[in-house]
Amino acid sequence: MKHFPVRITSAVTVISLATLATFATLATGVVRAAENFPTKPVRLVVAFPIAGATDILARHFALKMSEQLGYQMIVDNRPGAGGTIGSKIVSGAIADGYTLTMGTTSTHAIGPHLYSSKPYDPINDFTAVTQMCVSPTVMMVAAQVPAKSLKEFIALAKAQPGKLNFGSSGIGTQFHLSGELLKLLAGINIVHVPYKGTALVYPDMIAGQIQMLFDVPPAALPFIKQGRVRALGISGAKRTPVLPDTPTIAEAGLAGYEADLWWGLFAPPKMAKERLARVHAEAAKALTSPDVKERYAGMGTDVVASAPEAFTAFMKIDSAKWEKVVKASGARAD
């Protein structure tokens, strides 16, 4: 009997050691699984056509990721329905890190609110990896418009309700909703005229048929420098280096206005923490590399490379903001 307790203690010790060994093996397996990613090419779904801003940014990013990972990151363009088609592909994929998407303000903050029945939930149907970069847009008016400042343009619009037009690349796009946000905050009535792309708006704007337009700096700069259009404001929270003398719309007198165009990296929902940490680390490393930052800066975009938690928090706020604008504008995609 005196030896009995010793035998029990020994048995418990053996069991405990065996259990610890099992846990250690499992933990090592999880770590190795994260460390070994990837073991095959990674697909980056782009929900917009080839040669557009999102596609160009995605290809710069994918090239750098391919160098880092030792496996190719393949850009897979799946355009259609304002980015909804490509986004849905990723929301329904396996969350193993091998299928990702480069989402935008349009696909993850505006698009879902344009439908009576949302095609996907931008928060719960994806894993937010990182906010990749942001770009302001430029608010411009035609050269024939007498307003030389935002305040003068707002006064002109109020004096002629429903008489001024603004163009965009289509109903529900970032450029359309940027104009609707301006109307909402300024309390003005200007008529939206949708086009199939902002490039098609400029001829009508130069001819004086369209009075106002939002567009990204690279596309707008040639027309601004030629004096064919006049920049009145920057949509973002700060001025852009390519137009240092143009104030932000908030600076110009419309407090609370901010409508950055942003891009983010998303994975399918419920990605394991270890795999998410791995994908985020590689993405942040690529985005903050000097060559990617330089290429993005050349397109008027600033790298963010935020943590997943920070990106998710930002998404919730931005989605709620654009939902209000969509409802106020009456814009629908169905």
Side-chain angles (χ1 to χ4, degrees):
M1 293 297 295
K2 291 182 179 180
H3 298 286
F4 188 67
V6 176
R7 290 175 183 172
I8 291 177
T9 303
S10 299
V12 170
T13 302
V14 170
I15 293 170
S16 298
L17 289 173
T19 302
L20 288 172
T22 300
F23 285 156
T25 301
L26 290 172
T28 301
V30 170
V31 172
R32 284 177 179 169
E35 290 176 348
N36 290 340
F37 174 83
T39 57
K40 60 181 180 180
V42 176
R43 179 170 65 150
L44 180 63
V45 175
V46 173
F48 298 97
I50 294 172
T54 302
D55 177 70
I56 295 171
L57 290 169
R59 290 181 187 279
H60 287 317
F61 173 71
L63 180 62
K64 191 64 180 181
M65 286 287 280
S66 298
E67 292 175 4
Q68 290 178 191
L69 297 174
Y71 285 88
Q72 188 177 6
M73 175 173 272
I74 302 168
V75 176
D76 182 7
N77 295 86
R78 296 298 185 96
T84 300
I85 292 175
S87 299
K88 286 186 72 174
I89 289 173
V90 176
S91 69
I94 299 172
D96 56 5
Y98 289 98
T99 301
L100 306 169
T101 186
M102 190 170 182
T104 69
T105 312
S106 295
T107 60
H108 282 71
I110 296 173
H113 303 304
L114 295 170
Y115 296 85
S116 53
S117 178
K118 289 185 179 181
Y120 52 80
D121 186 310
I123 305 297
N124 297 317
D125 290 346
F126 297 86
T127 298
V129 179
T130 185
Q131 185 179 12
M132 300 171 71
C133 54
V134 296
S135 172
T137 57
V138 186
M139 177 206 165
M140 300 162 282
V141 295
Q144 299 93 327
V145 174
K148 299 297 190 295
S149 68
L150 176 64
K151 287 184 176 180
E152 290 181 3
F153 178 77
I154 292 173
L156 181 67
K158 286 184 175 180
Q160 304 177 48
K163 300 294 184 181
L164 303 181
N165 300 323
F166 81 97
S168 82
S169 52
I171 295 174
T173 61
Q174 167 81 12
F175 303 125
H176 170 207
L177 271 297
S178 292
E180 294 295 344
L181 181 60
L182 180 76
K183 289 170 58 177
L184 184 64
L185 294 181
I188 56 177
N189 176 18
I190 52 178
V191 180
H192 174 235
V193 181
Y195 288 72
K196 291 184 178 180
T198 54
L200 301 176
V201 182
Y202 286 101
D204 286 351
M205 194 172 180
I206 292 168
Q209 297 172 13
I210 296 293
Q211 286 74 45
M212 191 264 282
L213 170 70
F214 280 86
D215 202 356
V216 290
L221 277 172
F223 298 97
I224 295 171
K225 290 179 178 179
Q226 293 166 12
R228 295 187 174 190
V229 300
R230 186 182 307 114
L232 296 188
I234 301 298
S235 70
K238 61 180 182 179
R239 299 191 183 197
T240 175
V242 297
L243 288 169
D245 297 327
T246 303
T248 67
I249 292 175
E251 281 182 307
L254 199 57
Y257 190 100
E258 186 176 336
D260 274 331
L261 176 59
W262 56 260
W263 292 264
L265 187 65
F266 295 88
K270 301 178 181 179
M271 176 178 275
K273 291 183 179 179
E274 295 81 8
R275 184 55 54 85
L276 173 58
R278 169 71 169 159
V279 175
H280 174 265
E282 292 293 344
K285 181 180 177 182
L287 290 166
T288 55
S289 64
D291 47 342
V292 171
K293 288 182 72 174
E294 183 178 353
R295 288 169 182 157
Y296 278 23
M299 292 184 65
T301 63
D302 295 326
V303 168
V304 179
S306 60
E309 298 81 5
F311 186 28
T312 299
F314 166 82
M315 280 269 301
K316 291 178 179 178
I317 295 171
D318 204 50
S319 179
K321 177 183 79 175
W322 287 114
E323 183 178 15
K324 292 178 182 178
V325 178
V326 168
K327 287 182 178 179
S329 70
R332 305 300 305 169
D334 55 6

